[in-house]
Amino acid sequence: MRNDGKPAVVIGAGPAGLCAAIELKKAGAPVVLMDENAKPGGQLFKQIHKFFGSQEHKAGIRGFDIGKELLAESLRLGIDVRLKTEVVGIEAGLKVWAVEDRSKSYTFDAGTLILATGATENALSFPGWTLPGIMTAGCAQTLINVHRVLPGQRVLMVGSGNVGVIVAYQLMQAGAQVAAVIEALPRLGGYGVHTAKVRRAGVPFYCSTTIIRAEGRESVERAVIASIDAKFQPIPGTEQTLDVDTICLAVGLTPSIELACIAGCKQIYIPELGGTMPAHDEFMRSSLESVYVVGDIAGVEEASTAMEEGRLAGIHAAWAMGYMDETTMKTKTEETKTRLKALRQGVFGQKRFEAKKRIVEGRKEA
Amino acid sequence: MNAEKSPDSRIVKHAVLGDMPAQKEVTIYFEGKPLKALEGEPIMATLVAAGVTVFRYTKKGSPRRMFCGIGRCTDCVMTVDGVPGVRTCVTEVREGMRVERQQGVGSWKVQAEASHAQ
Ligand code: FES
């Protein structure tokens, strides 16, 4: 145990970071929460659908309401939240280099670091993919649900996973038409509930289908799609042209591991969870003793699992820093783990559960 | 489906989010033309509401707009108050702000005003 007075620095004020900071503060540990954005909450505020899970996982509550609750709690606890603060470096001895308001640079000694930097949406390149009107599904979701502007009238959604079907539905809620949802795999990838809602609205779904090119002069006017064979090669003669002004890409996310790399955390490759990510133990500790990784950086899952991972790290760090006794730490850890396990059930959850186990194995080897 | 748009692509009514709350308006200038913006929103939102489809051109003249919408990709950069390369998806509007398209990496136009900008 160590209590050297240096604060725990949490980087990223999304669901994982907020929960980590809340647990630390509740235990009485000094904590600073930094985020590059002007507002905290990460990507929670664009999630206007109801979450799955049991009651204690806030199931049935919409993402933005969970965001509001977490913000209210962090305010009530008086957490030191530094917004518009970009962390650009981590030096040996956990010296954090931050840039505030894009103009003021300073360094800061952290005793513990919790990286909650999230993930970045993947791109997909095809002829015409740089045309205005082509954007990630998350971009469209931010525009309609956070800023309340509609980027286009007729949309092609590329990718039928959860993000694809949820955003397709939300685009319709915002007043757009969805021309089609296409999926490269032979089967659909999203939760049945969301997929069914989009289907019921009459949107065609095409499996084993890819986008061949986007056409348009100064912005998207058409998308050409085609069926693909088992080797993902387009089948000649199956091309179809869709009149759309917007193409949304929902083709997965990759953990944002830049800071973890700078800090020197050992990385592991787990394709099911988004690619390369820092290995971590059951307490979310990376290969470095005082550096934790939580949320999408530790494998892309969902906001609900991110929150529980944040709690795990916050609890363990509070104990390691000397602000929580061992029995309390163990009890709280077990409770959190039980909730986390419940979230990783079912067809989708089980796969993630197995993959997460490999991350922990990976850290042991490292 | 359940949503109503104003002529400028703003989603004023929404089944889940409710009516758009009243917000203070500010004016920004896009290529010299005044645009109505809402306080607190990023430049990107104002431009999308106004139906602007091209935010900038690459060195070779190919058009770009936004791509990630959260400050990751730099597709949306424009010249803002003379400073090129500003990410418009994470930069809030301000009264009187001048927003211009740039070609390639653009160029600085703030020399003359640098003293009073500080
Ligand atoms: S759209 Fe990606 S940085 Fe602005």
Side-chain angles (χ1 to χ4, degrees):
Chain A
M1 283 204 218
R2 85 208 117 76
N3 181 359
D4 51 12
K6 287 185 197 165
V9 174
V10 182
I11 303 170
L18 275 167
C19 285
I22 286 171
E23 288 301 330
L24 280 156
K25 188 74 183 181
K26 278 206 291 205
V31 54
V32 177
L33 175 56
M34 296 180 166
D35 195 290
E36 63 179 328
N37 295 293
K39 292 172 191 129
Q43 307 308 314
L44 263 179
F45 286 96
K46 62 191 192 193
Q47 318 282 347
I48 66 166
H49 56 280
K50 292 180 180 158
F51 280 24
F52 290 140
S54 65
Q55 209 52 46
E56 58 194 2
H57 295 124
K58 318 248 182 221
I61 303 184
R62 298 180 194 276
F64 61 91
D65 285 325
I66 296 174
K68 280 189 218 153
E69 270 177 38
L70 290 178
L71 292 195
E73 192 172 3
S74 62
L75 269 178
R76 197 159 35 77
L77 290 166
I79 293 173
D80 179 356
V81 185
R82 303 191 188 178
L83 298 170
K84 293 191 184 168
T85 300
E86 233 168 309
V87 175
V88 295
I90 294 164
E91 290 164 32
L94 296 193
K95 199 180 265 306
V96 170
W97 177 15
V99 175
E100 196 184 298
D101 226 358
R102 294 179 205 168
S103 53
K104 226 169 52 208
S105 162
Y106 63 94
T107 59
F108 194 83
D109 283 317
T112 299
L113 210 54
I114 298 187
L115 304 176
T117 49
T120 306
E121 288 182 278
N122 295 337
L124 182 71
S125 71
F126 46 86
W129 80 287
T130 57
L131 272 176
I134 298 169
M135 65 195 77
T136 65
C139 179
Q141 197 183 25
T142 302
L143 285 162
I144 56 177
N145 296 346
V146 179
H147 308 312
R148 297 190 67 156
V149 291
L150 199 58
Q153 305 300 325
R154 248 177 92 76
V155 186
L156 166 66
M157 180 63 67
V158 180
S160 75
N162 287 327
V163 173
V165 285
I166 289 172
V167 175
Y169 188 70
Q170 292 174 354
L171 277 159
M172 291 189 278
Q173 280 182 317
Q177 272 180 30
V178 177
V181 176
I182 62 170
E183 171 60 56
L185 294 175
R187 62 197 166 270
L188 299 175
Y191 281 135
V193 178
H194 296 296
T195 307
K197 274 181 167 178
V198 180
R199 268 306 283 139
R200 276 201 299 273
V203 174
F205 280 70
Y206 300 105
C207 285
S208 299
T209 298
T210 194
I211 177 159
I212 300 291
R213 64 181 178 272
E215 297 175 348
R217 231 173 50 83
E218 292 260 279
S219 65
V220 176
E221 293 163 39
R222 284 168 305 277
V224 179
I225 59 172
S227 302
I228 48 179
D229 60 25
K231 288 187 185 123
F232 294 97
Q233 294 310 307
I235 303 169
T238 62
E239 291 87 1
Q240 249 193 85
T241 302
L242 303 173
D243 286 319
V244 291
D245 59 9
T246 305
I247 298 171
C248 286
L249 307 178
V251 290
L253 293 107
T254 302
S256 301
I257 59 170
E258 297 87 341
L259 289 177
C261 291
I262 292 175
C265 304
K266 289 251 159 44
Q267 310 288 330
I268 179 166
Y269 181 70
I270 309 275
E272 305 95 294
L273 296 173
T276 300
M277 64 206 66
H280 62 75
D281 67 8
E282 52 177 335
F283 305 108
M284 306 312 294
R285 215 164 24 166
S286 75
S287 59
L288 304 172
E289 188 70 20
S290 310
V291 180
Y292 296 77
V293 288
V294 293
D296 279 351
I297 184 184
V300 176
E301 290 187 88
E302 296 179 349
S304 43
T305 44
M307 289 190 279
E308 300 296 2
E309 287 190 349
R311 284 188 216 286
L312 271 183
I315 292 162
H316 194 267
W319 167 75
M321 290 165 77
Y323 291 91
M324 191 183 283
D325 63 73
E326 192 159 352
T327 324
T328 315
M329 184 274 279
K330 283 192 171 151
T331 318
K332 281 175 162 263
T333 299
E334 276 321 304
E335 286 167 7
T336 314
K337 274 192 187 165
T338 308
R339 290 197 302 269
L340 204 43
K341 203 166 170 201
L343 283 172
R344 291 181 180 139
Q345 277 168 357
V347 203
F348 294 101
Q350 189 62 30
K351 219 171 94 190
R352 297 199 315 257
F353 181 76
E354 298 299 331
K356 286 299 283 196
K357 274 214 305 230
R358 277 163 42 217
I359 300 189
V360 174
E361 292 302 316
R363 182 184 186 272
K364 279 189 201 140
E365 281 158 27
Chain B
M1 190 165 136
N2 313 331
E4 218 171 87
K5 278 173 288 131
S6 62
D8 61 357
S9 303
R10 290 194 187 272
I11 304 158
V12 290
K13 286 196 186 306
H14 193 287
V16 176
L17 293 168
D19 291 356
M20 188 130 128
Q23 237 153 325
K24 204 180 146 211
E25 284 180 13
V26 295
T27 304
I28 68 166
Y29 295 86
F30 166 65
E31 301 274 296
K33 197 175 115 224
L35 291 183
K36 191 187 82 182
L38 300 182
E39 203 173 65
E41 73 181 0
I43 300 165
M44 164 186 76
T46 311
L47 298 182
V48 168
V52 175
T53 52
V54 178
F55 284 15
R56 69 176 172 104
Y57 291 95
T58 61
K59 207 162 83 182
K60 290 183 180 156
S62 149
R64 294 286 191 275
R65 204 184 186 196
M66 67 263 158
F67 184 72
C68 74
I70 54 166
R72 291 269 97 127
C73 71
T74 68
D75 223 21
C76 65
V77 298
M78 299 178 80
T79 300
V80 176
D81 287 336
V83 179
V86 175
R87 291 170 301 170
T88 55
C89 68
V90 287
T91 304
E92 284 178 22
V93 292
R94 222 178 352 84
E95 179 61 44
M97 194 178 237
R98 289 172 293 118
V99 177
E100 272 129 25
R101 286 185 181 130
Q102 65 184 55
Q103 178 130 22
V105 292
S107 57
W108 289 74
K109 297 177 192 140
V110 282
Q111 246 87 23
E113 309 148 61
S115 49
H116 80 84
Q118 289 307 304

